[in-house]
C-alpha cells in the first residue's frame, strides 16, 4: 500500500456513516485490509467483544475511541497503532487498552508502576566496559503531560497556544538559566526557519511533524507549528520539547562516561518544572500518562550513541545489531533515533526497551548491563576478523 500524508480530520471521515456516527463495520473492514500487510496491536485487540463494549458508550466517546485508533487505521506499518487523546482514555477505554498495554510491555499478573530516582553516580561508568568510551554522547529523556489538559492528539489550536504560553511563564521563573525558542508564528520568542533547521541539524529540536503520517493521522501534528518549541539551557545540556507527541519531552544530554550523571541532570530539570507549580498527569496503575502507550510507566528513555562497526559490518547490517540488542532488552536505532539510519561505523542509538513495570533506576542499570554484553560481542567479532 502506498503511504501518503493525511490529517486526522480528513482520515476519520472514511469511518463514519451517512449520519456522521462511527461505522464500526468500516473500521473492521480497514483492520482486515491492514492485516494482510501487518497486524498492529491496535488491530489485534479490536475484537467483537470490544465493539460491543464501545457501542454501549455515548456517541461522543465512540468518536473519541475512533480518534484513539486513527494512527493505526491510517498507517500500514503501525506496530502499536493507538494514541490516547486524554488521560482518562486509559480508564474509559480500559477494555481495549489494558490488554494492549500488557501485551506490549510483557506484563503478567498484577503490576503497579513505582518510581525510583535513586541512581548512583560513579557506578555505571562506560570506561569500565571499554577504556576508549571516555567521551560518549549520553541522553536521557522523560515524556510528560500536564494534568487538566487534553493530550496532543485532541488539543485545539487555541489550547496548544495556551499551553505553550503557560510553559513560557514557567521557564521565565526557572532556577536553571536558559532560553525558549518558539515555532509559533507571531510568538514573542519565535525563531526563523533557518534557526529551527540548525537546531534540528544539531539533534536538539524535533523534525517537522507534518512529514510523519503517524503524527498527522492521529492528530498529534494538527495545527503545526502552533504551540511548538524548545527550551534550551545556557550550557546546552538540558532541553524541553513543547508540543510534540507528548506535551513535554524533558531531555538531558551529557558528553562523558557516567550514566548516573545524565540521570542527575534530568532529575534536576524534572523537579524544576514541578516546582513551577505544574502537576504531571499520572495513572494509579500505569504511572506516567503518555500519548503512546509504549511510553507508559516511567516515560523514560535513556540512551548512548555507540559505534558497532563489527556487528553491523560497517553499517551495512543494521538488522543484526537490532536483533542482538533485542536479546538483551535493548533497542538499537539510527543516529537520529527512530526511523533514521546508522552510519558506516555502525553508530547507533542504544536504549533499554522497558518503560512500564520497571523504575527509573532499573532502566539505567539495564542499559549498563546490556551495553556490557553488546561491547563484548563487538570486541569478539573484531578479534575474529583480525585472525581471519
Amino acid at each position: 500500500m502506498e503511504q501518503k500524508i493525511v490529517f486526522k480530520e480528513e482520515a476519520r471521515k472514511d469511518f463514519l456513516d451517512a449520519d456522521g456516527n462511527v461505522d464500526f463495520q468500516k473500521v473492521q473492514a480497514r483492520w482486515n485490509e491492514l492485516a494482510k500487510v501487518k497486524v498492529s496491536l491496535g488491530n489485534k485487540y479490536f475484537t467483537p467483544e470490544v465493539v460491543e463494549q464501545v457501542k454501549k458508550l455515548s456517541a461522543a466517546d465512540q468518536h473519541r475511541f475512533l480518534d484513539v485508533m486513527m494512527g493505526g487505521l491510517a498507517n500500514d506499518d503501525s506496530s502499536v497503532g493507538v494514541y490516547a487523546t486524554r488521560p482518562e482514555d486509559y480508564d474509559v477505554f480500559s477494555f481495549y487498552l489494558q490488554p494492549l498495554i500488557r501485551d506490549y510491555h510483557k506484563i503478567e499478573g498484577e503490576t503497579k508502576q513505582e518510581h525510583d530516582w535513586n541512581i548512583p553516580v560513579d557506578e555505571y561508568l562506560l570506561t569500565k566496559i571499554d577504556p576508549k568510551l571516555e567521551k560518549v554522547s549520553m541522553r536521557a529523556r522523560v515524556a510528560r503531560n500536564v494534568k487538566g489538559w487534553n493530550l496532543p492528539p485532541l488539543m485545539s489550536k487555541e489550547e496548544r497556544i495556551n499551553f505553550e504560553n503557560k510553559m513560557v511563564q514557567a521557564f521565565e521563573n526557572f532556577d536553571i538559566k536558559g532560553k525558549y525558542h518558539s515555532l509559533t508564528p507571531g510568538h514573542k520568542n519565535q525563531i526563523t526557519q533557518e534557526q529551527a533547521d540548525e537546531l534540528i541539524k544539531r539533534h536538539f529540536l524535533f523534525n517537522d511533524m507534518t512529514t510523519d503520517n503517524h503524527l498527522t493521522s492521529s492528530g498529534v501534528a494538527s495545527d503545526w507549528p502552533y504551540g511548538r518549541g524548545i527550551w534550551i539551557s545556557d550550557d546546552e545540556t538540558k532541553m524541553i520539547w513543547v508540543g510534540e507527541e507528548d506535551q513535554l519531552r524533558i531531555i538531558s544530554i551529557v558528553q562523558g562516561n557516567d550514566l548516573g550523571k545524565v540521570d542527575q541532570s534530568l532529575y534536576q530539570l524534572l523537579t524544576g518544572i514541578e516546582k513551577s507549580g505544574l502537576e504531571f498527569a499520572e495513572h494509579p496503575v500505569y504511572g506516567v500518562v503518555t500519548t503512546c502507550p509504549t511510553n507508559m510507566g516511567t516515560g523514560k528513555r535513556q540512551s548512548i550513541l555507540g559505534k558497532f562497526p563489527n556487528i553491523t559490518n560497517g553499517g551495512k547490517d543494521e538488522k543484526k545489531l537490532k536483533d542482538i540488542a533485542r536479546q538483551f532488552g535493548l533497542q538499537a536505532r539510527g543516529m537520529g533515533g527512530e526511523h533514521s539510519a546508522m552510519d558506516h561505523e555502525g553508530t547507533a542509538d542504544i536504549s533499554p526497551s522497558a518503560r512500564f513495570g520497571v523504575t527509573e533506576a532499573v532502566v539505567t542499570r539495564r542499559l549498563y548491563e546490556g551495553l556490557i554484553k553488546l561491547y563484548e560481542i563487538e570486541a569478539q567479532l573484531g578479534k575474529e576478523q583480525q585472525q581471519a
Side-chain angles (χ1 to χ4, degrees), residues 1 20 25 45 61 80 90 94 111 113 143 178 180 187 195 217 224 228 286 308-309 315 355-357 369 382 387-388:
M1 298 179 200
Q25 288 186 329
Y45 288 101
D61 277 339
V80 179
Y90 288 105
S94 62
T111 299
Q113 180 62 42
Y180 182 67
H187 194 281
Q195 290 171 315
S217 59
W224 175 267
R228 275 75 174 203
Y286 304 133
F308 300 92
R355 307 275 192 275
F356 177 51
E369 292 173 350
Q387 294 170 357

Side-chain angles (χ1 to χ4, degrees), residues 196-210:
D197 290 342
E198 180 60 27
L199 291 175
I200 292 170
K201 184 179 177 182
R202 297 181 67 190
H203 301 295
F204 286 1
L205 181 62
F206 46 91
N207 293 320
D208 180 343
M209 295 163 68
T210 62

Side-chain angles (χ1 to χ4, degrees), residues 32-228:
N32 292 344
E33 180 186 7
L34 289 167
K36 299 172 185 176
V37 181
K38 184 176 183 178
V39 179
S40 67
L41 289 179
N43 193 344
K44 177 180 178 180
Y45 288 101
F46 186 80
T47 63
E49 291 77 18
V50 163
V51 173
E52 288 307 308
Q53 287 272 72
V54 178
K55 287 181 176 179
K56 297 175 184 176
L57 301 176
S58 67
D61 277 339
Q62 290 183 34
H63 276 281
R64 291 191 187 99
F65 186 76
L66 174 61
D67 286 342
V68 166
M69 298 185 293
M70 281 311 307
L73 290 169
N75 293 278
D76 57 27
D77 62 345
S78 286
S79 296
V80 179
V82 298
Y83 292 87
T85 68
R86 309 164 299 164
E88 52 265 40
D89 284 351
Y90 288 105
D91 291 320
V92 176
F93 308 128
S94 62
F95 53 85
Y96 175 61
L97 294 175
Q98 185 183 68
L100 184 153
I101 291 169
R102 295 178 72 84
D103 187 334
Y104 177 84
H105 292 283
K106 305 294 185 287
I107 299 299
E108 297 179 2
E110 295 298 318
T111 299
K112 181 180 178 181
Q113 180 62 42
E114 303 289 344
H115 297 290
D116 177 14
W117 283 93
N118 186 24
I119 301 164
V121 172
D122 295 329
E123 182 169 330
Y124 301 128
L125 301 176
L126 299 179
T127 46
K128 288 182 181 178
I129 300 174
D130 186 334
K132 293 194 292 291
L133 299 175
E134 180 67 35
K135 195 169 185 180
V136 176
S137 177
M138 306 179 294
R139 289 191 177 208
R141 68 97 169 125
V142 288
R144 290 291 188 272
N145 292 284
V146 178
K147 189 175 180 179
W149 297 76
N150 288 319
L151 299 179
L154 192 60
M155 280 180 142
S156 65
K157 180 179 177 180
E158 182 182 15
E159 190 176 9
R160 294 182 199 278
I161 293 172
N162 288 342
F163 181 81
E164 180 185 34
N165 290 334
K166 186 176 183 66
M167 289 310 304
V168 170
Q169 290 178 350
F171 296 145
E172 288 173 349
N173 296 315
F174 245 23
D175 293 336
I176 307 166
K177 292 188 179 297
K179 184 179 179 182
Y180 182 67
H181 309 262
S182 177
L183 301 181
T184 300
H187 194 281
K188 66 177 183 177
N189 298 102
Q190 184 184 3
I191 58 175
T192 65
Q193 187 59 53
E194 290 73 20
Q195 290 171 315
D197 290 342
E198 180 60 27
L199 291 175
I200 292 170
K201 184 179 177 182
R202 297 181 67 190
H203 301 295
F204 286 1
L205 181 62
F206 46 91
N207 293 320
D208 180 343
M209 295 163 68
T210 62
T211 62
D212 186 330
N213 197 54
H214 293 271
L215 301 181
T216 57
S217 59
S218 63
V220 171
S222 295
D223 309 306
W224 175 267
Y226 289 89
R228 275 75 174 203

Side-chain angles (χ1 to χ4, degrees), residues 242-263:
V242 176
E244 207 241 12
E245 183 180 293
D246 291 289
Q247 293 163 3
L248 302 173
R249 288 284 173 94
I250 303 160
I251 305 162
S252 171
I253 303 174
V254 175
Q255 295 287 333
N257 60 78
D258 188 345
L259 295 179
K261 288 187 176 179
V262 189
D263 287 295

